[in-house]
Amino acid sequence: EKENKPIPEDIILNMMRQLVNALWYAHMLGIFHNDINDRNCLVSLTKEKKLIFKVADWGSVRMLKSF
């Protein structure tokens, strides 16, 4: 049976930093993600065991700028 343990604070801070950076970058491009939720936030590990946080489901975005 899988044991549920709290995620360490440094890992949570790393994930939140990556989320904020992803949204900041999108906003700088004039893109607003309309549906940030747990299903659209993906976490994976690289071969080097580095945690990568990704924002998914950009299908319902709203453009803040027109080009």
Side-chain angles (χ1 to χ4, degrees), residues 16-39:
M16 292 300 98
R17 189 174 300 112
Q18 289 185 53
L19 171 61
V20 169
N21 285 339
L23 295 176
W24 173 82
Y25 186 76
H27 290 180
M28 294 301 294
L29 295 175
I31 301 169
F32 180 78
H33 194 296
N34 290 322
D35 192 24
I36 293 293
N37 60 56
D38 58 339
R39 293 181 318 269

Side-chain angles (χ1 to χ4, degrees), residues 7-20 51:
I7 300 172
E9 184 178 334
D10 61 324
I11 292 176
I12 296 293
L13 289 173
N14 181 6
M15 291 185 338
M16 292 300 98
R17 189 174 300 112
Q18 289 185 53
L19 171 61
V20 169
L51 186 76

